[in-house]
Amino acid sequence: MELKIFNTLDRKKIDFVPIDKNNIRVYACGPTVYDYAHVGNARMSIVCDLLIKVLRLIYDNVTYTSNITDIDDKIILAAKTQNVPIEKITNKFLKIYNQDMHSLGINKPDIQPRATEYIEEMIILVEKLIKNKNAYLSNNHVLFHVPSFSSYGCLSKRSKEEQISGSRVEVAPYKKYAGDFVLWKPSKQNEPGWNSPWGYGRPGWHLECSAMSESCLGLPFDIHAGGIDLTFPHHENEIAQSCSLNNEKDPKLFARYWFHNGFVLFNGEKMSKSLGNIQLVNELLKKYPSETIRLSLISSHYRQPLNWNKNLLQQSQATLNRFYRIFLNDENFDEYKYDIKDISDDIIESLLDDLNTPKALAVLNKLINDLSSKSNIKSKNLKKTIYSSSVFLGILKKNPSEWLGIGNKNSKNLNNIEELIEKRNNARINKNFALADDIRSKLNKMGIEIEDQNDRTIWRKIEKDNK
RNA sequence: GGUGCGGUGGCGGAGAGGCUACGCUGCGGCCUGCAAAGCCGUCUACACCGGUUCGAAUCCGGUCCGCACCUCCA
């Protein structure tokens, strides 16, 4: 088995060749915890989770680190506004983030470092960069001097000159060069900060990832992941910092492969706070089953923009209903245990090809179509394949009856419903179809849909469409 | 202004020189007292204009359109 992966550094799909096949190391830029996680955060999380699962099919030892940014100006602002210490905010939203991701069936990273736990390491990095003449002190700030790193722009494929022209951002007067970025900045006394050789202050945004990736994984490591919007400047600056520590120019001496997931759009527009179209995972989980959200997130290729809307969720819901139905009346259901060996080879092959989830789902659909033309024995094996393949993708983990809402025992009108169904079935036996239809429409009005099977009548709540 | 990514059937969405992607919806049929579910079948797709080629949705050139990034972003 061999994984092909699109490397942003090369702008093409290439074979994944590990640095050490006995120790695969992946780092992903995690969220800044000052608010609820949105669908964009979830996409990065889910895509990385799947990447790790695929890597683990091939390699025995995979370490996945994904950080938490818990010191940042947005957090400080939120803390000031709410008049609470920043920890109150970061702890709260870190917990919610992990809960929400867990709900989506995402495994927690092996290591989840927090920026504030690596301040010492960051200070050491800054000292080294100053010593190497890649950084300078100006106006109580320590700045990275971009012209000192000749490979700058190698990831985003921009030359230094191009970035400056047209830049809409005011350049701080204490910068030697417009593209220079902050490694360390002063904090006011009432702001969070740490003592450093350059006074009381706090780290710049990019520094934390250089410190944590090196501390947790060692350099160079195999894959650096994150949202495509982080390519510039965040990842570019990380490369500049980390490579400059050892006066290296080759970005692959920091991380070999750069793995970026595409944006999530909402009704064709970028999800952003100013447009007010942010979709929060926490809110979505109240309205939709987690597998519906999960399937929606993997229904398009990870590098393509994903257009998020109600229609997508409804389609995923319909797809899952169909998938679950194949297990509904299967008395062997309990025998289907998740087993890696049962996963369809074609699905694995699709995933090994740069994580082609839409193709994997197409294969799954084909397998389900094949069921109708199979003998019992063969269909049992096929169902095992479908089951394990689905669970690998993070779906079909629920009980089919429960998923489809069949015969919900918690329903308020349980006795009433079952009474009416019995009445209707008696009417049917007596060929009193007018009465039978009458009762069915009464049930429909109660929000209950019935389904006559060979030997029994099952019912479920009608899915509301007002989500 | 610069850079990057895209434009595939009613919709979603793969593919990347010759082979049905797949799903949803619609339509026709089977099944069913009727429904529901299921099954079978089915519907002018590759933005436009040139070029290369025996053959282009796929490669090359140009045009148009969309989106993103250019120090807040997943």
Side-chain angles (χ1 to χ4, degrees):
Chain A
M1 282 199 281
E2 211 166 62
L3 173 66
K4 279 189 164 51
I5 181 175
F6 185 92
N7 190 354
T8 308
L9 266 177
D10 301 315
R11 300 282 158 139
K12 62 183 177 201
K13 194 159 71 179
I14 53 175
D15 290 332
F16 174 71
V17 182
I19 295 164
D20 173 4
K21 65 179 169 44
N22 298 311
N23 183 21
I24 309 298
R25 290 157 296 154
V26 182
Y27 183 91
C29 288
T32 302
V33 281
Y34 71 108
D35 204 349
Y36 288 93
H38 54 75
V39 182
N41 296 306
R43 187 180 201 192
M44 169 266 154
S45 218
I46 214 161
V47 161
C48 288
D49 181 55
L50 208 52
L51 174 69
I52 298 301
K53 279 169 110 172
V54 170
L55 284 168
R56 289 198 166 125
L57 290 175
I58 315 172
Y59 305 102
D60 294 330
N61 185 23
V62 179
T63 306
Y64 174 39
T65 299
S66 184
N67 76 291
I68 296 294
T69 299
D70 61 352
I71 174 70
D72 161 277
D73 287 358
K74 290 190 294 291
I75 300 172
I76 294 173
L77 184 67
K80 270 184 189 162
T81 311
Q82 297 168 41
N83 200 25
V84 291
I86 60 164
E87 293 78 19
K88 182 122 187 167
I89 289 170
T90 55
N91 289 337
K92 176 185 169 187
F93 288 110
L94 169 57
K95 197 175 163 198
I96 292 169
Y97 174 78
N98 280 333
Q99 279 171 353
D100 286 350
M101 295 308 122
H102 177 75
S103 297
L104 293 178
I106 295 164
N107 294 309
K108 213 179 158 187
D110 301 303
I111 307 170
Q112 190 175 52
R114 298 175 61 154
T116 52
E117 292 164 350
Y118 287 82
I119 300 292
E120 263 180 63
E121 285 82 351
M122 291 189 229
I123 289 173
I124 293 167
L125 291 193
V126 177
E127 285 178 320
K128 276 192 196 167
L129 290 171
I130 293 173
K131 200 174 149 202
N132 286 354
K133 305 231 184 314
N134 293 293
Y136 59 96
L137 189 64
S138 172
N139 201 23
N140 296 320
H141 290 67
V142 182
L143 292 136
F144 186 93
H145 193 43
V146 165
S148 74
F149 182 63
S150 60
S151 301
Y152 196 81
C154 60
L155 182 68
S156 55
K157 309 283 184 245
R158 294 164 215 251
S159 70
K160 290 192 266 300
E161 293 70 28
E162 283 159 358
Q163 295 156 40
I164 297 153
S165 67
S167 170
R168 285 164 293 187
V169 176
E170 208 177 312
V171 179
Y174 48 81
K175 286 186 181 179
K176 281 189 191 170
Y177 173 82
D180 291 352
F181 57 91
V182 171
L183 295 170
W184 190 265
K185 61 171 137 188
S187 288
K188 294 185 191 114
Q189 276 312 312
N190 62 346
E191 286 176 339
W194 292 263
N195 290 319
S196 78
W198 320 284
Y200 181 73
R202 59 186 192 270
W205 172 34
H206 316 292
L207 188 59
E208 51 171 293
C209 287
S210 286
M212 290 185 277
S213 58
E214 183 178 5
S215 295
C216 298
L217 297 172
L219 300 186
F221 55 93
D222 294 290
I223 301 174
H224 191 131
I228 188 74
D229 49 330
L230 295 181
T231 309
F232 189 89
H234 184 54
H235 291 159
E236 201 71 70
N237 291 354
E238 271 186 60
I239 291 171
Q241 289 164 350
S242 291
C243 288
S244 296
L245 290 175
N246 302 309
N247 284 316
E248 302 288 359
K249 298 299 173 207
D250 180 0
K252 291 192 176 178
L253 293 168
F254 172 45
R256 287 283 175 84
Y257 300 86
W258 286 84
F259 179 85
H260 288 112
N261 63 275
F263 262 118
V264 178
L265 310 175
F266 185 71
N267 287 331
E269 283 177 310
K270 185 183 167 178
M271 247 187 221
S272 80
K273 290 200 169 171
S274 56
L275 289 167
N277 60 0
I278 291 278
Q279 297 287 297
L280 301 177
V281 177
N282 203 269
E283 293 296 318
L284 287 164
L285 281 168
K286 290 175 190 163
K287 297 180 188 165
Y288 296 92
S290 64
E291 290 189 7
T292 303
I293 301 168
R294 187 175 175 106
L295 181 63
S296 301
L297 282 165
I298 62 171
S299 63
S300 64
H301 186 87
Y302 78 92
R303 279 190 282 118
Q304 291 297 122
L306 174 63
N307 194 15
W308 192 263
N309 54 38
K310 202 164 119 181
N311 191 38
L312 172 67
L313 286 157
Q314 283 170 348
Q315 207 169 296
S316 300
Q317 182 77 44
T319 301
L320 284 167
N321 288 350
R322 180 164 154 263
F323 286 3
Y324 270 107
R325 265 192 180 275
I326 68 167
F327 292 110
L328 183 59
N329 294 317
D330 188 338
E331 60 268 24
N332 298 317
F333 180 71
D334 292 336
E335 288 176 36
Y336 305 130
K337 296 275 185 287
Y338 171 65
D339 188 338
I340 284 179
K341 292 193 285 295
D342 286 340
I343 302 171
S344 145
D345 290 342
D346 289 344
I347 288 181
I348 290 179
E349 196 184 307
S350 305
L351 294 173
L352 287 172
D353 185 11
D354 196 30
L355 229 57
N356 194 335
T357 51
K359 200 173 174 188
L361 291 167
V363 174
L364 194 58
N365 270 301
K366 272 189 181 169
L367 293 174
I368 287 168
N369 291 340
D370 283 348
L371 270 180
S372 57
S373 59
K374 288 285 186 290
S375 66
N376 281 341
I377 286 290
K378 280 187 175 166
S379 100
K380 196 171 159 186
N381 287 333
L382 192 51
K383 279 184 182 174
K384 280 185 178 174
T385 301
I386 291 166
Y387 182 77
S388 286
S389 303
S390 302
V391 170
F392 185 81
L393 292 168
I395 54 176
L396 255 53
K397 290 170 160 179
K398 303 268 180 358
N399 175 284
S401 293
E402 273 174 40
W403 176 274
L404 294 163
I406 306 281
N408 188 348
K409 295 280 181 272
N410 298 323
S411 187
K412 270 189 262 171
N413 303 317
L414 183 63
N415 292 334
N416 198 6
I417 292 164
E418 291 185 343
E419 230 169 76
L420 284 168
I421 288 173
E422 205 186 321
K423 247 170 109 179
R424 174 172 167 276
N425 282 337
N426 285 330
R428 288 171 68 215
I429 291 164
N430 298 324
K431 306 249 188 262
N432 188 351
F433 296 124
L435 177 62
D437 289 353
D438 214 44
I439 295 170
R440 185 175 56 209
S441 87
K442 193 172 172 187
L443 283 161
N444 279 166
K445 276 176 195 148
M446 290 163 66
I448 301 299
E449 186 176 47
I450 56 172
E451 184 176 327
D452 295 329
Q453 299 193 329
N454 286 339
D455 51 349
R456 60 177 181 151
T457 298
I458 61 171
W459 62 272
R460 65 181 165 273
K461 281 189 179 167
I462 296 167
E463 278 165 27
K464 292 198 190 97
D465 196 30
N466 57 356
K467 285 164 178 172

